[in-house]
């Protein structure tokens, strides 16, 4: 006879936090959101600690190099998606590591025989106002000139105007030679009142750009997450098929931490993958595993040697695994049970293995609930897909700007490795959908709003750290009617023009 759980599983939306005593010192400014992402022994410090408890999902529509840089500036880690070629993924990792070093590989490039229309289209795609003009239109071609917003006026020029006629030619471009230090490049920028400085090699080919704004941002982003070489920390997704070739390449490109991308992690395939990494690199290489939804799955991966364990099956907004396969569990229940097993494992072994809640988060306060229930950090897909920095297109749907968002199990992504059970190398059926999400603007503004809410709620619970929140939190299940009571009700709402909705 099958095993039956006596209690139904629950989602985050079915819980509320009950306030605790707040002292005078318990203010949002005093709250620390630092959290471990890698396992550590009792009395020791983790190899990697995040400054905020947020990571981005290993998805094509979420985590590329642009989002990775933006999230690292806030203090979190993005996991570059692995459902691409090894060369493509390593190139993204390399871009992130080069960005903080100040030398940025150009991704806005054009040929001299293209037109103003092409410039405008490129600016729309990338959001960048500085475009390199190279002989072959690549970021490593021979630099022929530079186009900035000061070089053209749309109202006075035909969109058919050739780039070569209005670009600033190389003869008038101030640039640095490859080998110049970042400090020397910044001195050139400040001395010549430049916004950007190209760096070229001995053959005149473009290598990098150095931007004035990066220097300013470094001073502003006090919580940014850096490696020992002062570069941004970045993660990378791997699978259980080509890890023997993918992992060495990702590490060579500079990846700080890896994560096995799989819909279900309680498997021989993840055990083999972790064993190979441990056999070749020992504990020096950090790798997370998952996903699991109960204590047995956590203990299995912890004993395999995972640095952190991801929790969640079927809870993502674009995931239909529960509908198609009938497996999964309410995210709140899964986090609570895995957290209990994590604590039990820590008492038995003295090794603390961080856990990550992946999926099921709809509202900002769900992040706080996940942390209170025991998660050390959360992984978010839909949340980050809405921002400027995500890799998808912004489109106008019925007068509202939206961003494209699709699951790794969708026909569009066809990430069969994520759902691999050792059979044929193909996606037999869809476990994700292709969709749109409302466009929300910049990552920085939204993340800061979310974290302000988390800090405020933690103060309501009398906690100044995530560990203290987990000790002091009091959680209550809510009824369907109390959920209704929790929102605006029994009133007529006014819109921004004071009109009744």
């Amino acid at each position: 006879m099958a095993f039956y759980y006596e209690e139904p599983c629950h989602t985050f939306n079915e819980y509320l936090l009950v306030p605790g005593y707040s002292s005078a010192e318990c203010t949002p400014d005093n709250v620390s959101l630092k959290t471990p992402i890698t396992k550590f022994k009792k009395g020791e410090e983790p190899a990697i600690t995040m400054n905020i408890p947020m990571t981005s999902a290993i998805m094509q529509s979420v985590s590329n190099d642009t989002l990775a840089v933006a999230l690292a500036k806030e203090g979190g880690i993005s996991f570059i998606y692995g459902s691409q070629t090894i060369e493509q993924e390593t190139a993204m990792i390399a871009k992130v590591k080069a960005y903080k070093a100040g030398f940025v590989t150009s991704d806005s490039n054009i040929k001299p025989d293209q037109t103003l229309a092409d410039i405008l289209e490129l600016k729309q795609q990338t959001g960048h106002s500085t475009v390199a003009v190279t002989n072959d239109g690549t970021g490593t071609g021979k630099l022929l000139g530079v186009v900035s917003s000061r070089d053209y006026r749309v109202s006075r020029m035909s969109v058919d105007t050739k780039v070569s006629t209005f670009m600033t030619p190389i003869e008038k471009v101030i640039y640095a030679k490859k080998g110049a230090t970042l400090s020397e490049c910044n001195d050139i920028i400040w001395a010549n009142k430049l916004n950007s400085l190209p760096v070229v090699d001995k053959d005149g080919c473009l290598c990098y750009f150095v931007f004035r704004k990066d220097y300013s941002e470094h001073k502003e982003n006090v919580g940014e997450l850096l490696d020992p070489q002062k570069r941004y920390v970045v993660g990378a997704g791997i699978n259980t098929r080509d890890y023997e070739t993918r992992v060495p390449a990702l590490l060579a490109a500079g990846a700080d931490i890896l994560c096995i991308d799989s819909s279900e992690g309680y498997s021989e395939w993840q055990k083999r993958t972790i064993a190979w990494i441990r056999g070749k690199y020992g504990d020096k290489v950090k790798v997370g595993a998952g996903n699991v939804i109960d204590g047995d799955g956590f203990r299995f991966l912890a004993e395999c040697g995972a640095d952190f364990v991801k929790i969640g099956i079927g809870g993502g907004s674009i995931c239909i695994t529960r509908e198609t396969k009938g497996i999964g569990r309410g995210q709140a229940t899964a986090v609570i049970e895995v957290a209990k097993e994590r604590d039990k494992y820590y008492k038995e072994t003295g090794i603390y293995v961080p856990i990550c809640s992946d999926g099921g988060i709809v509202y900002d306060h769900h992040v706080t609930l996940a942390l209170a229930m025991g998660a050390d950090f959360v992984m978010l897909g839909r949340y980050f897909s809405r921002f400027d920095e995500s890799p998808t297109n912004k489109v106008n749907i019925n007068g509202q700007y939206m961003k494209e968002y699709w699951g790794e199990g969708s026909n569009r992504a066809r990430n069969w490795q994520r759902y691999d059970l050792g059979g044929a190398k193909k996606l037999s059926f869809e476990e994700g959908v292709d969709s749109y999400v409302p466009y929300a603007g910049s990552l920085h503004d939204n993340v800061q709003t979310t974290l302000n809410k988390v800090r405020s709620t933690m103060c309501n619970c009398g906690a100044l750290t995530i560990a203290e929140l987990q000790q002091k939190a009091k959680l209550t299940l809510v009824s369907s009617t109390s959920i209704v009571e929790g929102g605006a009700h029994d009133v007529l709402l006014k819109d921004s023009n004071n009109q009744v909705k």
Side-chain angles (χ1 to χ4, degrees):
M1 181 178 177
F3 175 82
Y4 290 89
Y5 289 91
E6 294 182 2
E7 295 291 330
C9 60
H10 299 284
T11 66
F12 292 131
N13 220 34
E14 296 176 77
Y15 283 91
L16 287 174
L17 283 158
V18 176
Y21 171 73
S22 301
S23 67
E25 290 74 31
C26 206
T27 64
D29 289 343
N30 290 332
V31 171
S32 170
L33 293 177
K34 288 183 178 293
T35 191
I37 191 173
T38 56
K39 66 181 179 183
F40 58 93
K41 294 181 180 178
K42 188 175 184 179
E44 298 181 354
E45 292 295 319
I48 304 176
T49 298
M50 294 190 294
N51 293 327
I52 63 172
M54 302 174 79
T55 60
S56 68
I58 311 170
M59 299 175 67
Q60 295 174 9
S61 55
V62 179
S63 297
N64 66 346
D65 52 292
T66 306
L67 191 125
V69 168
L71 185 52
K73 288 179 180 178
E74 304 303 319
I77 297 177
S78 184
F79 285 87
I80 303 295
Y81 66 94
S83 54
Q84 56 181 328
T85 67
I86 295 173
E87 292 75 20
Q88 290 170 330
E89 189 177 9
T90 54
M92 287 189 180
I93 295 292
K95 281 186 177 182
V96 177
K97 304 308 284 189
Y99 189 102
K100 186 60 190 73
F103 297 102
V104 182
T105 302
S106 177
D107 59 1
S108 292
N109 312 288
I110 206 162
K111 295 179 182 179
D113 60 353
Q114 290 182 263
T115 65
L116 176 59
D118 296 317
I119 290 284
L120 298 176
E121 182 180 356
L122 188 59
K123 184 177 181 181
Q124 177 69 23
Q125 291 174 355
T126 66
H128 300 156
S129 57
T130 300
V131 178
V133 185
T134 60
N135 64 322
D136 58 2
T138 70
T140 55
K142 186 176 180 63
L143 185 63
L144 303 178
V146 174
V147 174
S148 71
S149 56
R150 293 176 296 182
D151 290 315
Y152 60 87
R153 293 188 66 177
V154 178
S155 60
R156 296 189 177 185
M157 295 171 59
S158 168
V159 293
D160 295 327
T161 306
K162 297 288 185 182
V163 169
S164 58
T165 64
F166 62 87
M167 70 180 186
T168 300
I170 188 62
E171 295 80 15
K172 295 183 180 180
V173 173
I174 297 174
Y175 57 87
K177 289 288 188 179
K178 185 179 181 181
T181 66
L182 182 59
S183 178
E184 290 170 341
C185 290
N186 280 322
D187 287 342
I188 295 173
I189 286 174
W190 287 100
N192 294 277
K193 300 180 180 179
L194 304 173
N195 288 325
S196 63
L197 179 73
V199 179
V200 301
D201 63 18
K202 58 182 178 62
D203 298 319
C205 293
L206 180 62
C207 300
Y208 312 105
F209 269 100
V210 177
F211 293 96
R212 175 194 290 260
K213 66 179 178 63
D214 291 341
Y215 178 84
S216 301
E217 286 179 357
H218 169 59
K219 298 300 182 183
E220 296 171 0
N221 298 321
V222 294
E224 60 188 4
L225 193 60
L226 307 176
D227 68 12
Q229 287 75 47
K230 306 298 183 184
R231 303 172 301 176
Y232 285 130
V233 173
V234 61
I238 62 174
N239 61 65
T240 58
R241 284 276 187 162
D242 65 2
Y243 53 86
E244 293 185 15
T245 51
R246 188 175 293 266
V247 169
L250 293 171
L251 297 175
D256 298 280
I257 184 168
L258 309 174
C259 184
I260 303 172
D261 181 27
S262 175
S263 65
E264 204 279 294
Y266 194 176
S267 73
E268 175 72 16
W269 310 110
Q270 297 224 356
K271 181 178 181 179
R272 291 183 186 181
T273 304
I274 298 171
W276 183 87
I277 291 173
R278 294 287 173 252
K280 186 173 179 63
Y281 301 102
D283 286 330
K284 182 174 68 173
V285 171
K286 307 304 176 184
V287 56
N291 286 16
V292 299
I293 51 175
D294 65 3
D296 292 341
F298 167 83
R299 183 167 286 266
F300 171 79
L301 291 176
E303 292 176 347
C304 285
D307 281 287
F308 68 87
V309 174
K310 285 205 295 149
I311 308 163
I313 294 177
S317 60
I318 41 67
C319 184
I320 54 173
T321 294
R322 296 181 192 176
E323 294 179 22
T324 57
K325 296 173 67 174
I327 64 168
R329 201 175 195 186
Q331 189 69 6
T333 300
V335 171
I336 291 169
E337 181 173 324
V338 172
K340 288 179 181 177
E341 190 66 23
R342 184 267 319 275
D343 293 344
K344 181 180 177 183
Y345 184 80
Y346 180 53
K347 289 180 180 178
E348 292 175 3
T349 66
I351 299 174
Y352 187 91
V353 181
I355 56 176
C356 166
S357 178
D358 175 21
I361 290 177
V362 180
Y363 304 109
D364 288 343
H365 75 271
H366 289 173
V367 175
T368 319
L369 284 169
L371 298 175
M373 290 171 181
D376 296 282
F377 58 99
V378 298
M379 179 171 279
L380 304 161
R382 181 197 61 84
Y383 177 88
F384 286 116
S385 71
R386 303 172 300 148
F387 304 148
D388 290 318
E389 294 83 357
S390 76
T392 62
N393 294 320
K394 182 173 71 173
V395 295
N396 190 308
I397 305 293
N398 297 326
Q400 181 179 359
Y401 279 113
M402 311 287 284
K403 291 275 283 185
E404 295 178 308
Y405 180 47
W406 60 91
E408 289 296 292
S410 67
N411 194 49
R412 182 170 184 173
R414 301 201 66 79
N415 181 5
W416 64 268
Q417 293 95 332
R418 189 176 196 277
Y419 305 89
D420 184 25
L421 294 174
K425 298 180 179 182
K426 64 178 182 178
L427 192 68
S428 300
F429 52 88
E430 288 187 291
E431 293 189 46
V433 299
D434 198 342
S435 64
Y436 296 105
V437 290
Y439 167 67
S442 75
L443 179 144
H444 170 76
D445 292 342
N446 284 276
V447 166
Q448 287 306 311
T449 297
T450 298
L451 295 180
N452 285 339
K453 294 178 183 178
V454 172
R455 292 187 182 99
S456 180
T457 305
M458 287 175 63
C459 288
N460 292 141
C461 297
L464 291 176
T465 66
I466 293 172
E468 191 176 8
L469 174 67
Q470 292 167 352
Q471 293 170 359
K472 293 183 174 181
K474 294 183 291 185
L475 292 136
T476 180
L477 276 167
V478 297
S479 66
S480 57
T481 54
S482 60
I483 292 175
V484 174
E485 180 187 63
H489 61 90
D490 300 315
V491 294
L492 293 174
L493 298 180
K494 293 188 293 185
D495 61 20
S496 58
N497 297 316
N498 289 328
Q499 297 297 313
V500 175
K501 291 184 178 179

